[in-house]
């Protein structure tokens, strides 16, 4: 059977080629529009799934991720000032170089200055030599890539082997336009290779801005925090313990307890191998030389002002005499799960709740022990997941929650060990306080910047209080009906009117604030942090 064939006339061939060209152009424009819109779509997706992304990063990096976020956020004002000043300097140098230097060397002069400045400045601020050199090279690269002429970018894109590689990079590396804006626009507009040269300011500003931003972000936290403390700390605040702005600071304090008779303030934290005390609330702090293995929590035991600490290495509960600062009595808690030991006092019934966070979920014995302090005897045991706990001051009821999980707040009978109530879930909550005037449990939700209000009898939810992002530590001035909220992210102490739920004023302190101890008769609050302890006159 004979094969069939057709002959295309020249006119038909031209029409076909033209159609294919138009179709290819439409297809190319379609993909190009998708590539231009891709960063916005990516940002939108990141916003929608932000909680899952944060959880995933935190799962793999642990506290390192939290440290990075808090350190950047708490020094944002100083970094902004540093970045603006550096940007102004780079622009001045760029204008001078492009105005007075010869055509072939002006980009080299501009790039060389920015590279040397960033490297030296990072070294001067305390970065190591490797980080300083890397920062300088990064700044120089950003400046050079954005300072070269547009026609140079077009010639690079037109080069057969290198152009293909650059083209692939701009297609695949979504977000590269942030660091190479001039190259990106040249890639988008690569058909106009004969366009007139770019104005000088367009070759200076993008690179100067990006290099200054990189320098500001890479500047070390300790030095910037010292500057920020000097420039921005509220005049109503003073530092009574510390500071030291290192990741593992020797002034790290997690919990505070105060002797109402003497006014002594006890400090407990990871870095305190034995508790410290501020006599009558004043510096300097005195080491009481009673080992607690750096356990983070301490608590006043009863109305006689005995302070209670726990040794997380030996699982001993220690009751300390307030006058001699010696151990008055102790109790070994057998098979206590590994981890920090939390304490919550119920003075009216002379009970103390002692709980382990059970770090790593390794278990052992019951996580919560209820101790009758008069007999120094465990009278009840409870199995509960504990990240923090407080006791009802009027009833033998214990409230527990956990920041690592959204499990709400639970109420337990301290005498029988029975679960009395569980609140609805409202986000991962951290520290709690008891509002006796309204019979409410207050719990911080750092991720939303809210204080969740729960009826103490039923744990039913009430309208939350909006406060600072990263809200963590809580303290109540019952005389003035005020709530003091400390943020571990924004450096702020927020004073909230409990009658209205509105913020009255805020004080700038420092990063990673943890606990708030209110001395209402003096109008003073002690605020513990990872880097020291502040004393704040919150009525000013």
């Amino acid at each position: 059977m004979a094969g069939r064939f057709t002959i295309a006339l020249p006119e038909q061939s031209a029409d076909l080629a033209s159609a294919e060209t138009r179709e290819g152009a439409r297809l190319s424009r379609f993909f190009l529009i998708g590539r231009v819109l891709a960063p916005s779509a990516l940002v939108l997706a990141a916003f929608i799934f932000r909680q899952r992304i944060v959880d995933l990063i935190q799962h793999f990096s642990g506290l390192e991720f939290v440290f990075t976020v808090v350190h950047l956020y708490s020094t944002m004002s100083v970094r902004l000032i540093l970045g603006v000043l550096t940007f102004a300097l780079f622009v001045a140098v760029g204008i001078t170089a492009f105005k007075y230097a010869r055509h072939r060397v002006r980009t080299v002069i501009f790039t060389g200055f920015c590279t040397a400045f960033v490297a030296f400045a990072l070294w001067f601020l305390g970065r190591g030599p490797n980080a300083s050199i890397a920062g300088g090279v990064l700044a120089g690269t950003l400046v050079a890539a954005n300072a070269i002429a547009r026609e140079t970018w077009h010639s690079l894109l037109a080069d057969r082997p290198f152009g293909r590689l650059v083209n692939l990079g701009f297609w695949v590396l979504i977000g590269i336009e942030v660091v190479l804006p001039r190259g990106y626009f040249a890639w988008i507009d690569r058909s106009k290779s004969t366009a007139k040269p770019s104005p000088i300011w367009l070759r200076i500003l993008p690179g100067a801005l990006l290099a200054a931003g990189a320098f500001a972000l890479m500047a070390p936290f300790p030095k910037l925090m010292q500057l920020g403390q000097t420039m921005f700390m509220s005049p109503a605040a003073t530092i009574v313990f510390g500071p030291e702005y290192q990741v593992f600071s020797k002034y790290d304090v997690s919990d505070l307890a105060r002797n109402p008779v003497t006014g002594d303030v006890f400090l407990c934290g990871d870095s305190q191998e034995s508790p410290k005390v501020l006599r009558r609330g004043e510096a300097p702090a005195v080491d009481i030389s009673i080992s607690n293995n750096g356990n983070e929590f301490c608590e006043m035991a009863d109305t006689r002002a005995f302070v209670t600490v726990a040794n997380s290495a030996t699982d001993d509960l220690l009751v300390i005499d307030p006058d001699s600062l010696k151990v008055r009595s102790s109790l070994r808690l057998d098979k206590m799960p590994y981890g920090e030991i939390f304490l919550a006092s119920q003075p009216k019934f002379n009970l103390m709740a002692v709980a382990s966070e059970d770090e790593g979920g390794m278990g052992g014995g019951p996580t919560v022990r209820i101790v009758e302090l008069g007999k120094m005897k465990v009278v009840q045991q409870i199995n509960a997941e504990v990240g923090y706990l407080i006791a009802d001051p009027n009833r033998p009821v214990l409230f527990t929650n956990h920041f690592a999980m959204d499990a709400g707040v639970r109420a337990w009978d301290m005498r029988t060990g029975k679960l009395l109530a569980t609140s609805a879930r409202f986000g991962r909550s951290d520290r709690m306080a008891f509002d006796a005037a309204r019979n409410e449990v207050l719990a911080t939700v750092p991720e939303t910047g809210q204080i969740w209000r729960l009826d103490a009898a039923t744990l039913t939810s009430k309208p939350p209080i909006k406060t600072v992002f990263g809200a963590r530590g809580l303290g109540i001035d019952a005389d003035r009906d005020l709530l003091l909220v400390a943020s571990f992210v924004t450096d702020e102490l927020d004073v909230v009117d409990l009658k209205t739920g509105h913020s009255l004023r805020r004080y700038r302190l420092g990063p990673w604030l943890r606990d708030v101890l209110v001395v209402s008769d003096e109008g003073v609050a002690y605020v513990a942090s990872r880097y020291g302890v502040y004393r704040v006159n919150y009525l000013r």
Side-chain angles (χ1 to χ4, degrees), residues 399-426:
F399 301 98
T400 63
N401 68 345
H402 206 301
F403 178 67
M405 59 190 74
D406 180 9
V409 174
R410 297 177 181 180
W412 307 84
D413 189 312
M414 298 177 74
R415 292 175 297 189
T416 67
K418 291 183 178 180
L419 178 64
L420 302 176
T422 302
S423 76
R425 296 183 178 184
F426 51 85

Side-chain angles (χ1 to χ4, degrees), residues 26-39:
R26 282 196 295 269
L27 190 63
S28 177
R29 283 197 294 270
F30 171 78
F31 283 116
L32 191 59
I33 291 171
R35 172 60 181 85
V36 171
L37 296 178

Side-chain angles (χ1 to χ4, degrees), residues 279-346:
R279 288 294 195 180
R280 295 175 296 281
E282 301 292 341
V286 178
D287 193 327
I288 68 173
S289 300
I290 297 175
S291 177
N292 67 342
N293 194 46
N295 192 67
E296 294 186 20
F297 298 91
C298 46
E299 182 87 346
M300 298 313 299
D302 55 23
T303 54
R304 291 170 295 174
F306 291 119
V307 65
T308 307
V309 300
N311 188 318
S312 57
T314 62
D315 295 336
D316 287 333
L317 178 67
L318 309 174
V319 178
I320 300 171
D321 185 271
D323 299 319
S324 64
L325 297 181
K326 303 295 182 183
V327 176
R328 179 176 179 270
S329 57
S330 64
L331 174 66
R332 176 63 54 86
L333 301 167
D334 294 328
K335 297 181 180 180
M336 201 71 174
Y338 173 77
E340 293 294 341
I341 296 178
F342 303 92
L343 302 169
S345 173
Q346 212 302 335

